[in-house]
């Protein structure tokens, strides 16, 4: 279970509710419509309100803002958005369903956010088809009632109408409570005791995604025209600041040198106000270390500079590694271009399947009307021969591997089904053994009760569970809690291993299906090259055997005494 918090300055509570109920594009957030022009509802979702009904939340939030005359400035934090994400394995192996995930999220919201006005909505699938349950908790930033939570570190700010701004300590307390719920329910905890080194918010994530998509399209056009791209990874403005600060801190022995490198090479000024730093480029507001991440705070930079001053060799080592990484990036960019494809498929050829493919491709004698057509034809073969799996292989070995993969996949699917049955049995055993351990004393109380019928009616659920456990565990040997956990762990490990192996086999099978259209046009040439290689190898072996026979006969003649004929 992972917790994420987003503060929103400009909020439209109605549009937020609309997003929770209707389908949207994952990247552009555009509304989706059916063929008749009607909005598409989400197939499955659960929604509840905090101190309100879900549909009344937009109206009540606006009324609360008008009552206290707050959230009128676009710069104000008008809405707080929490996201709780559950691990995909929790649904597959730990029995988590949508209703249970929604209940746990509601429990967390009522424990950590009492007195807040908002809605809690649980969806069945995460972004980019992650396959996990996740919950959106949308809150108005103003307190609705005077309730105080234990996790709130500033109780004086929790009165009705005051703004609730979750700070670092509060967020850490919220994460601890979420991990406590996960451990209690035997779910995957987040163990998020600290913030990540780079604070990438939702807006930066989508900017980076769209920028990378645009850069890939530009690089494709450059490669299609026969050129070499200049960069492969899109950098946001924040990421450029992070790289600049890290580079300057790794090359400096004091803060003055850090400021000089930051300005001369990256055109970033280090501004200091009341002991707080801010990185600013000309014509921009810049960013504070808190916006970039904990790795860019003043204390961290000073520690890194002090380390460089103590160990001067670290700077030379960093510069050498930086130059090496730059050379690797340039080599990778060149390899993913038309000149790189031509170099990959050109002599000298290796004496194996890779060399046969290169010779067969050049023997086809293709004539291209444009460089883009040449790129489309040569790129798949260049990527194929670069794969380490292709080296020192034979065509017959690939064919054999492709034939046995379907049967191997079916075999491991059967093993996975058996492993899941074993895991389900272990889960059932755990449930009944725990029930027997927890409800066992009720049987003694029932026997000593003055009115067994009334006692049975009061505890009918526990007693029926205990009787079912006794029937199920009748022929099962008893286990200690440690042995029980170990059996469950082994069953869970078997399921994970079988599933990962099936995924690897399926990837191999998909790869063979991808390369088959590439290999079919050049297969006759590959088979002929393999026959020639086998013939050459046989000739070499025959020559070695002939030389061995001649050496043996010569040695035998040498052993005959000179006066043997006399």
């Amino acid at each position: 279970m992972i917790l994420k918090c987003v503060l929103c300055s400009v909020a439209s509570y109605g549009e937020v509710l609309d997003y929770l109920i209707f389908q949207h594009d994952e990247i552009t957030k555009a509304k989706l419509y059916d063929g008749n022009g009607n909005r598409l509802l989400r197939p499955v979702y659960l929604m509840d309100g905090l101190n309100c009904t879900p549909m009344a939340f937009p109206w009540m939030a606006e009324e609360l803002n008008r009552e206290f005359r707050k959230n009128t400035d676009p710069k104000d934090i008008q809405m707080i958005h929490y996201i709780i994400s559950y691990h995909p394995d929790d649904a597959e192996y730990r029995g988590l369903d949508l209703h249970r995930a929604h209940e746990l999220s509601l429990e967390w919201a009522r424990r950590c956010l009492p007195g807040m006005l908002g809605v809690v909505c649980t969806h069945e699938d995460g972004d980019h088809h992650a396959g996990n349950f996740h919950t959106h908790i949308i809150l108005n930033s103003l307190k609705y009632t005077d309730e105080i939570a234990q996790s709130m570190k500033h109780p004086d700010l929790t009165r009705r109408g005051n703004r609730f701004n979750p700070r670092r300590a509060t967020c850490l307390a919220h994460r601890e409570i979420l991990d406590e719920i996960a451990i209690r329910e035997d779910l995957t905890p987040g163990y998020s005791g600290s913030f990540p080194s780079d604070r990438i918010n939702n807006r930066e994530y989508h900017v980076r995604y769209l920028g990378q998509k645009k850069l890939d399209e530009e690089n494709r056009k450059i490669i299609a025209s026969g050129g070499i791209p200049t960069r492969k990874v899109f950098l946001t403005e924040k990421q450029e600041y992070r790289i600049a600060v890290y580079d300057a801190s790794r090359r400096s022995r004091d803060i003055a040198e850090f400021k000089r490198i930051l300005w001369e090479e990256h055109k970033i000024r280090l501004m200091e106000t009341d002991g707080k730093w801010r990185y600013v480029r000309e014509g921009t507001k810049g960013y504070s270390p808190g916006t970039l991440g904990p790795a860019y705070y003043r204390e961290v930079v000073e520690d890194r500079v002090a380390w460089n001053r103590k160990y001067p060799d670290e700077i030379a080592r960093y510069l050498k590694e930086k130059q090496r990484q730059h050379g690797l990036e340039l080599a990778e960019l060149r390899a993913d271009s038309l000149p790189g494809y031509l170099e990959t498929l050109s002599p000298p050829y290796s004496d194996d399947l890779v060399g046969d493919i290169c010779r067969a491709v050049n023997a086809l004698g293709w004539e291209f009307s444009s460089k883009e057509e040449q790129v489309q034809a040569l790129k798949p073969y260049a990527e194929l021969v670069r794969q380490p799996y292709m080296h020192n292989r034979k065509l017959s070995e690939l064919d054999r591997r492709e034939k046995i993969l379907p049967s191997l996949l079916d075999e491991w699917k059967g093993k996975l089904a058996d492993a899941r049955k074993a895991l389900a049995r272990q889960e059932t055993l755990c449930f009944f053994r725990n029930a027997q351990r927890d409800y066992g004393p009720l049987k003694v109380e029932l026997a000593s009760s003055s009115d067994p019928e009334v006692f049975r009616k009061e505890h009918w659920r526990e007693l029926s569970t205990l009787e079912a456990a006794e029937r199920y565990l009748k022929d099962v040997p008893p286990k200690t809690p440690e042995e029980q956990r170990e059996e469950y762990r082994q069953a869970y490990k078997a399921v994970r291993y079988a599933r990962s192996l099936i995924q690897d086999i399926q990837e191999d099978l998909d790869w063979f299906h991808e390369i088959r259209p590439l290999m079919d046009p050049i297969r006759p040439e590959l088979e002929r090259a393999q026959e020639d290689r086998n013939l050459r190898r046989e000739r070499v072996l025959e020559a070695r055997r002939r030389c061995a026979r001649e050496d043996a006969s010569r040695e035998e003649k040498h052993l005959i005494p000179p006066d043997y004929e006399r």
Side-chain angles (χ1 to χ4, degrees):
M1 299 169 68
I2 297 177
L3 179 67
K4 181 180 179 181
C5 179
V6 182
L7 305 180
C8 305
S9 298
V10 180
S12 174
Y13 304 107
E15 290 183 2
V16 170
L17 197 65
D18 180 83
Y19 172 80
L20 297 177
I21 297 175
F22 295 98
Q23 295 185 33
H24 291 72
D25 185 80
E26 290 184 354
I27 303 301
T28 63
K29 306 302 179 185
K31 302 175 183 178
L32 299 181
Y33 299 86
D34 60 10
N36 298 325
N38 300 321
R39 295 290 305 278
L40 290 173
L41 283 169
R42 292 184 181 270
V44 179
Y45 67 91
L46 296 176
M47 182 179 290
D48 276 293
L50 298 175
N51 295 312
C52 67
T53 59
M55 296 305 170
F57 167 68
W59 173 77
M60 294 180 68
E62 294 291 349
E63 285 292 320
L64 186 63
N65 294 341
R66 282 194 290 268
E67 178 182 352
F68 292 95
R69 298 181 181 179
K70 294 183 178 180
N71 290 338
T72 57
D73 190 341
K75 297 181 181 180
D76 292 339
I77 297 176
Q78 303 179 20
M79 187 175 66
I80 304 173
H81 183 191
Y82 285 96
I83 302 175
I84 300 177
S85 297
Y86 296 84
H87 199 281
D89 287 348
D90 293 340
E92 187 169 359
Y93 302 116
R94 297 180 177 87
L96 182 70
D97 57 5
L98 188 67
H99 293 272
R100 186 59 181 155
H102 188 66
E103 291 175 2
L104 296 177
S105 300
L106 273 175
E107 177 188 349
W108 178 88
R110 287 164 180 160
R111 285 180 60 181
C112 298
L113 306 167
M116 299 299 293
L117 183 71
V119 293
V120 179
C121 183
T122 304
H123 296 151
E124 64 175 352
D125 192 11
D127 283 347
H128 309 293
H129 308 287
N132 64 316
F133 299 124
H134 70 281
T135 302
H136 298 271
I137 302 175
I138 310 296
L139 307 170
N140 188 349
S141 60
L142 303 183
K143 288 284 293 182
Y144 188 69
T145 63
D146 296 335
E147 296 180 64
I148 298 176
Q150 185 179 2
S151 60
M152 293 181 179
K153 301 302 180 180
H154 303 280
D156 56 322
L157 300 179
T158 58
R159 292 191 296 271
R160 173 179 166 85
N162 286 339
R163 191 181 306 282
F164 172 66
N165 187 0
R167 302 183 185 277
R168 180 185 178 87
T170 305
C171 290
L172 290 178
H174 288 173
R175 286 176 167 85
E176 291 175 0
I177 293 175
L178 189 66
D179 288 345
E180 175 192 333
I181 295 174
I183 294 172
R184 185 196 70 199
E185 299 294 330
D186 195 22
L187 301 177
T188 305
Y191 294 116
S192 48
S194 61
F195 289 101
S197 58
D198 293 345
R199 291 180 182 169
I200 301 176
N201 55 22
N202 196 51
R203 180 179 300 176
E204 184 181 359
Y205 171 81
H206 287 288
V207 168
R208 185 173 63 179
Y209 178 86
L210 295 175
Q212 185 65 45
K213 188 176 181 181
K214 183 178 179 180
L215 180 63
D216 292 341
E217 180 64 23
E218 293 175 355
N219 288 345
R220 189 194 67 79
K221 294 179 180 179
I222 293 174
I223 294 172
S225 62
I228 301 176
T230 57
R231 57 174 180 166
K232 194 174 183 179
V233 179
F234 175 79
L235 299 177
T236 61
E237 187 180 17
K238 283 186 179 180
Q239 193 63 23
E240 291 177 355
Y241 274 80
R242 295 186 185 107
I243 293 174
V245 173
Y246 179 78
D247 178 67
S249 63
R250 287 297 303 271
R251 297 164 52 189
S252 306
R253 294 180 178 85
D254 52 40
I255 298 300
E257 187 178 4
F258 170 74
K259 292 181 179 180
R260 181 182 59 80
I261 295 176
L262 204 60
W263 168 249
E264 291 181 355
E265 299 191 12
H266 304 284
K267 301 302 179 185
I268 297 177
R269 291 190 183 277
L270 179 61
M271 313 295 291
E272 184 174 354
T273 305
D274 297 334
K276 296 182 179 180
W277 282 4
R278 189 173 188 85
Y279 307 104
V280 181
R281 275 182 178 168
E282 293 294 335
T284 65
K285 294 182 179 179
Y287 295 99
S288 63
T291 307
L292 300 178
Y296 311 96
Y297 280 107
R298 175 175 185 165
E299 297 80 6
V300 178
V301 173
E302 289 177 347
D303 290 344
R304 200 175 290 142
V305 169
W307 180 270
N308 293 338
R309 188 166 53 250
K310 185 177 180 180
Y311 301 99
D313 295 341
E314 289 293 326
I315 298 178
R317 189 178 295 112
Y318 167 73
L319 291 175
K320 185 177 180 180
E321 179 64 21
K322 180 182 177 182
Q323 185 177 4
R324 189 183 72 85
Q325 291 292 340
H326 182 64
L328 291 176
E329 291 176 4
L330 293 179
E332 187 176 358
L333 287 171
R334 180 174 178 81
D336 292 339
S337 63
L338 180 57
Y341 301 150
L342 294 174
E343 291 176 3
T344 301
L345 300 173
S346 298
Y349 302 123
S350 57
D351 193 20
D352 57 7
L353 181 60
V354 169
D356 293 344
I357 293 175
C358 294
R359 280 187 288 264
V361 170
N362 287 302
L364 290 175
W366 281 331
E367 294 183 1
F368 305 105
S369 58
S370 63
K371 290 185 178 180
E372 184 174 2
E373 184 181 350
Q374 187 179 10
V375 168
Q376 293 177 356
L378 298 182
K379 178 180 179 180
Y381 290 102
E383 293 178 347
L384 177 63
V385 301
R386 284 182 192 150
Q387 296 182 8
Y389 181 79
M390 293 296 296
H391 292 271
N392 302 320
R393 292 293 189 277
K394 297 179 181 179
L395 186 62
S396 57
E397 183 180 349
L398 292 181
D399 294 339
R400 183 185 62 81
R401 178 71 176 167
E402 186 178 6
K403 289 179 181 178
I404 66 173
L405 280 179
S407 59
L408 193 63
L409 183 62
D410 295 338
E411 177 185 352
W412 276 100
K413 282 183 177 179
K415 292 183 179 179
L416 177 61
D418 296 339
R420 282 177 171 168
K421 290 179 182 178
L423 180 61
R425 174 172 170 75
Q426 289 298 325
E427 291 176 346
T428 306
L429 287 173
C430 289
F431 174 77
F432 282 127
R433 282 170 178 160
N434 293 336
Q436 198 174 37
R437 192 179 301 114
D438 296 338
Y439 304 146
L442 292 177
K443 197 172 183 180
V444 179
E445 296 180 14
L446 177 64
S448 61
S449 175
S450 58
D451 194 347
E453 295 295 331
V454 176
F455 186 85
R456 181 176 288 277
K457 288 182 180 179
E458 292 177 351
H459 303 279
W460 68 271
R461 188 184 301 276
E462 293 85 352
L463 291 173
S464 60
T465 304
L466 181 60
E467 293 171 358
E470 291 176 348
R471 289 194 301 269
Y472 190 86
L473 301 174
K474 182 179 181 181
D475 300 327
V476 179
K479 298 284 185 181
T480 63
E482 292 76 14
E483 294 174 341
Q484 176 180 310
R485 283 194 294 269
E486 182 61 27
E487 288 183 354
Y488 180 83
R489 191 179 298 111
Q490 293 297 330
Y492 179 70
K493 188 187 296 184
V495 172
R496 290 290 299 268
Y497 177 75
R499 193 177 67 169
S500 63
L501 201 59
I502 287 175
Q503 184 178 359
D504 294 340
I505 295 173
Q506 186 63 51
E507 289 177 357
D508 289 347
L509 198 58
D510 295 340
W511 181 74
F512 278 110
H513 291 163
E514 290 177 3
I515 69 169
R516 175 175 286 278
L518 300 176
M519 303 290 279
D520 287 344
I522 60 176
R523 180 171 287 274
E525 184 66 22
L526 297 179
E527 293 175 350
R528 187 191 62 78
Q530 185 65 38
E531 292 176 0
D532 293 344
R533 187 180 298 109
N534 294 337
L535 184 60
R536 290 196 304 271
R537 187 179 296 111
E538 186 62 31
R539 287 175 182 172
V540 171
L541 294 176
E542 181 61 31
R544 290 178 179 175
R545 287 193 290 266
R546 185 172 62 253
C547 291
R549 289 194 299 268
E550 291 177 356
D551 292 344
S553 62
R554 193 178 300 112
E555 185 177 354
E556 185 179 355
K557 289 181 180 180
H558 180 69
L559 293 175
I560 297 176
D563 56 347
Y564 177 76
E565 293 183 359
R566 295 197 232 114

